[in-house]
Amino acid sequence: MFPLQLAIGIQKTSVTSELRTKKVSPSKVDESQLFTVPDGWKEPAFTKDDNPKGLLEESSFATLFPKYREAYLKECWPLVQKALGDSHIKATLDLIEGSITVCTTKKTFDPYAVVRARDLIKLLARSVPFEQAVRILEDDMACDIIKIGTLVRTRERFVKRRQRLIGPKGSTLKALELLTNCYVMVQGNTVSALGPFNGLKEVRKVVLDTMKNIHPIYNIKTLMIKRELSKDPELRLQSWERFLPNFRHKNLTKRKEPKKKTTKKEYTPFPPQQPESQIDKELATGEFFLRESVKKRKKMEEIKVKQAEALTKRQEERNRAFIPPKEKPVMKKTNKAPSEAKIDIEAIKAKVRKAKTKKLGAPSVNPVPQTTPAYDKKKKNKG
C-alpha cells in the first residue's frame, strides 16, 4: 500500500473507534478528518523480514555517460559501490564503452532497490554530484529528468530561456530549490530534479512554463503565496484561487493587419474577354488595307517624331548647366532709431552741467551751488 493510503486507513480506524466509544452519529463527524495524515507519521522501512526468500530473477539497468564525467565517476566510484552495497546491488563501471550497469544479486530482498539504483546512475550521468544523487536511495525521495532540448525551435532562443531559468548567478534556481525542497541541476538539454513528489511536480511545471516563454518569477510568486497559506490551519481545506495572482499574457503582435490587403473579386461564371490582336487593331483603324510601302513610311514618320522629341529633351538637359541661377536682391541693413523710446532732454542737460562744474582728477567735496551762466549776466547788464 502507498503511504497516503495507509495513513487514511489508520485515521479511519481511529475515527470509527471514537464513534463506538463516544456513541456519536456519523453525520456529525467532520469529513476533513478522514483525509488528513497525522503529524509525524512515517511509513515503516522495508526490511528483510518482509521478503525473506529474496527475488526469483535477476534484473539489471545500464546507462551511458559523457566523456567529461569519466574522471569524476572514477573518483567517486568506491562511494557508489558502498552506498549500493547496503541494499545488495552490484554496480559496474565500464570506461571503454562509457556505461554504468546495476543489477540485483541473490542477497537482494527489496524489489524496488534496483529501480532506485537505476535512478542513481542516471543522475550521476547527468552531472549531479554524488552527495545529492545518493539521496535517491531514501524512501521519501524521487527524481525527475525533464527533457527541454526539443521544446524550442531555434538554438539561440533555447539558450536564452535556459539562462532565464538559472537566473543571474543562479538566484532563480536557488529560489526554486528553497520553495520546492528539491535539488535542481540544469545540464545541456535536460533538467534533473531530486526531492519529494510534490516538489518535483512544481519544478516540472516551472521548467515547462519557462520554455514556453513564461517568466519563472510568476510561478515563484505563486509558490511563495501557497507556502504562506499552508501555514494557516483554517485555510488548509479552502480554495486558494482568490489569493493567487492572475498574470495575463501582455505580449501583443507587432502588426495586426497585413501590409498588402487583397480584395477578392466577385465571382462570375463567364471567362474574361480576350484581348484584341494586332490584326484586329489594324482592321479597326484601317491600316490593314494599306500597302506595305505606306505602312513603312508611316512607321518611319513615327520613329522620326520620337527621335526629335528625345533630341530636344537631351538638348534641354545640356543647356541647364549654362543657365545662371537667380540671385537674391541684396538688402541693406539700416539701424533705425527706436521711435517709441522718448529722450529726456532735461536729464541730459543736468548731466552736462554737473560735468562742467566737477574738476578733473578728484570728486567735489562740497556741492557747487547752481549759478546762472555768464552770458546771461552780460545780457542783463546791457539791458
Side-chain angles (χ1 to χ4, degrees):
M1 294 177 74
F2 291 99
L4 186 60
Q5 293 174 349
L6 287 170
I8 292 167
I10 293 167
Q11 191 70 14
K12 281 183 178 180
T13 53
S14 63
V15 171
T16 50
S17 62
E18 287 179 3
L19 289 172
R20 288 171 186 171
T21 53
K22 296 180 181 179
K23 296 181 181 181
V24 182
S25 60
S27 60
K28 294 181 181 180
V29 179
D30 189 6
E31 293 183 358
S32 62
Q33 295 180 2
L34 301 174
F35 299 102
T36 55
V37 179
D39 297 333
W41 181 86
K42 194 175 182 181
E43 186 181 1
F46 193 86
T47 59
K48 195 172 184 179
D49 298 334
D50 298 325
N51 186 17
K53 294 183 179 180
L55 306 177
L56 295 175
E57 293 185 2
E58 181 183 333
S59 57
S60 62
F61 293 99
T63 185
L64 299 173
F65 61 88
K67 185 72 175 176
Y68 62 85
R69 291 290 291 171
E70 183 178 331
Y72 182 79
L73 290 173
K74 282 172 66 178
E75 185 181 348
C76 69
W77 192 247
L79 300 172
V80 176
Q81 287 181 329
K82 185 180 178 182
L84 294 175
D86 297 338
S87 54
H88 305 287
I89 299 292
K90 183 183 177 182
T92 55
L93 177 65
D94 192 349
L95 297 176
I96 298 171
E97 293 183 358
S99 64
I100 312 171
T101 309
V102 290
C103 60
T104 58
T105 59
K106 293 181 180 180
K107 294 182 180 180
T108 307
F109 60 89
D110 188 359
Y112 199 70
V114 68
V115 179
R116 296 189 181 280
R118 177 203 64 183
D119 295 338
L120 173 64
I121 61 174
K122 277 187 178 181
L123 292 172
L124 289 173
R126 296 311 311 160
S127 299
V128 178
F130 172 75
E131 292 79 9
Q132 294 290 340
V134 77
R135 293 167 56 202
I136 195 64
L137 301 177
E138 300 174 8
D139 290 336
D140 56 346
M141 284 289 165
C143 74
D144 188 9
I145 297 174
I146 308 160
K147 295 180 180 179
I148 59 174
T150 58
L151 298 177
V152 186
R153 290 183 182 178
T154 57
R155 182 68 182 175
E156 294 177 359
R157 196 174 294 173
F158 167 72
V159 171
K160 283 182 181 178
R161 293 181 185 177
R162 185 179 63 181
Q163 185 60 34
R164 190 183 300 166
L165 177 64
I166 297 169
K169 297 181 181 179
S171 58
T172 307
L173 206 63
K174 188 66 179 176
L176 187 63
E177 289 178 353
L178 292 171
L179 290 169
T180 57
N181 296 325
C182 296
Y183 175 79
V184 185
M185 181 71 185
V186 181
Q187 177 68 22
N189 295 331
T190 58
V191 177
S192 305
L194 174 70
F197 292 98
N198 293 333
L200 293 177
K201 186 179 177 182
E202 298 293 342
V203 169
R204 176 172 275 273
K205 182 179 180 300
V206 173
V207 171
L208 294 179
D209 285 351
T210 306
M211 290 294 118
K212 292 175 184 176
N213 202 17
I214 299 172
H215 204 280
I217 192 65
Y218 300 135
N219 289 314
I220 287 171
K221 283 184 179 179
T222 306
L223 289 173
M224 290 172 68
I225 294 168
K226 284 182 180 179
R227 190 176 186 181
E228 293 298 324
L229 291 172
S230 61
K231 295 177 182 179
D232 193 352
E234 295 180 359
L235 298 171
R236 196 170 183 179
L237 300 173
Q238 296 181 10
S239 178
W240 292 349
E241 290 183 359
R242 52 186 175 144
F243 301 108
L244 299 178
N246 186 15
F247 299 108
R248 293 181 181 178
H249 193 62
K250 293 183 180 179
N251 290 345
L252 302 175
T253 54
K254 293 181 180 178
R255 182 172 55 84
K256 292 183 179 180
E257 296 180 0
K259 290 181 179 178
K260 295 180 181 179
K261 293 183 180 179
T262 56
T263 55
K264 290 185 178 180
K265 297 179 180 179
E266 294 182 1
Y267 173 74
T268 55
F270 307 104
Q273 190 176 2
Q274 291 184 354
E276 292 184 354
S277 63
Q278 188 67 23
I279 297 172
D280 294 336
K281 291 177 181 178
E282 289 179 357
L283 285 169
T285 55
E287 294 179 6
F288 183 76
F289 303 103
L290 296 174
R291 295 178 185 177
E292 289 293 330
S293 59
V294 178
K295 288 182 181 179
K296 286 182 180 179
R297 195 186 309 150
K298 202 170 186 179
K299 282 184 180 180
M300 290 298 295
E301 287 177 359
E302 290 177 357
I303 290 169
K304 285 180 181 180
V305 170
K306 288 181 180 179
Q307 286 177 352
E309 289 178 358
L311 187 64
T312 52
K313 284 183 180 179
R314 212 176 302 134
Q315 195 67 29
E316 287 177 0
E317 289 178 359
R318 287 176 182 173
N319 293 335
R320 279 178 192 172
F322 300 101
I323 297 171
K326 291 183 180 180
E327 296 180 358
K328 294 180 181 180
V330 180
M331 298 294 289
K332 293 182 178 180
K333 294 182 180 180
T334 56
N335 295 326
K336 293 183 179 180
S339 59
E340 295 180 359
K342 294 181 180 180
I343 301 170
D344 194 357
I345 299 170
E346 296 296 330
I348 294 170
K349 285 181 179 180
K351 284 183 181 179
V352 172
R353 287 170 193 163
K354 284 183 181 180
K356 285 181 178 180
T357 53
K358 285 182 182 180
K359 292 181 180 180
L360 295 173
S364 59
V365 179
N366 298 321
V368 179
Q370 191 173 0
T371 58
T372 56
Y375 65 89
D376 291 342
K377 290 181 179 178
K378 288 180 182 179
K379 285 181 182 179
K380 286 179 180 179
N381 294 331
K382 285 180 182 181

